[in-house]
Structure formats: C-alpha cells, structure tokens
Amino acid sequence: MELKERLAKILKNRYGIESTEDLLKALDELPELDFGIFVSQQGEDAKSA
C-alpha cells in the first residue's frame, strides 16, 4: 500500500476525513500552537526581556 493510500485510510478511520474539502476544513479549524513554551528559559538563569 502506498503512503498516500495509507494516509487517506488513517484520516478516514481516525478523523472522518474523506475528501480534500474535509481536510481543508479540519486544517482551518486547528488551534494555534504557542511555541513560546519551547524557547523560554525557566528557573534561576532566566532573564526578563
């Protein structure tokens, strides 16, 4: 089974995404990620901006 077919099967089974329209709608509704938690220093060594 090709990667494209496997991905389409997983999207359908896990998320109910069966068409390009469904996929685009799901992508538009994704929450934004806050990457600040990954780059901010914590603890005594942290310096304020």
Side-chain angles (χ1 to χ4, degrees):
M1 182 180 296
E2 268 188 63
L3 178 59
K4 182 178 176 181
E5 294 166 336
R6 289 179 65 191
L7 181 56
K9 184 177 179 180
I10 290 169
L11 289 172
K12 180 179 179 182
N13 292 338
R14 292 188 186 173
Y15 308 105
I17 296 173
E18 299 186 42
S19 67
T20 300
E21 183 179 303
D22 292 340
L23 179 58
L24 292 174
K25 183 179 176 187
L27 291 172
D28 286 339
E29 294 174 358
L30 281 175
E32 292 188 25
L33 295 177
D34 180 7
F35 289 104
I37 63 171
F38 299 109
V39 297
S40 297
Q41 290 183 339
Q42 298 296 317
E44 294 177 21
D45 295 335
K47 295 178 181 162
S48 59

